[in-house]
Amino acid sequence: MQKPPKADIMSFDGNPLNYYFFMKTFEDSVEKCSEDGSLRLHLLIQYRTGKAKKTIECCGMISHEV
């Protein structure tokens, strides 16, 4: 049995019209496949651009070892 192809995740630039599609694709491609919160956060930052990226980049510096 073959695995279905992984969906390409579009970058999210903060446009509210693209938010639902971005989050749905991100959840299906990343969240359901990884329990590693640090990796998911890193990828969430990676797939954002512009103001949307700058808004959450500082979250990457927060330690998950609290």
Side-chain angles (χ1 to χ4, degrees):
M1 186 169 163
Q2 287 184 316
K3 289 183 180 180
K6 226 177 187 181
D8 287 332
I9 302 173
M10 65 179 218
S11 293
F12 179 66
D13 63 1
N15 181 340
L17 297 175
N18 297 329
Y19 179 77
Y20 177 80
F21 181 73
F22 168 76
M23 286 307 298
K24 180 68 174 144
T25 305
F26 186 84
E27 289 169 358
D28 291 345
S29 298
V30 176
E31 285 190 14
K32 290 181 180 177
C33 300
S34 175
E35 294 182 16
D36 183 347
S38 295
L39 174 62
R40 292 190 318 222
L41 177 60
H42 172 74
L43 292 172
L44 183 62
I45 294 168
Q46 179 182 329
Y47 288 116
R48 290 179 173 228
T49 62
K51 193 173 184 178
K53 184 173 187 171
K54 288 180 183 181
T55 302
I56 66 166
E57 271 182 322
C58 62
C59 295
M61 293 186 253
I62 298 172
S63 174
H64 294 284
E65 299 175 16
V66 180

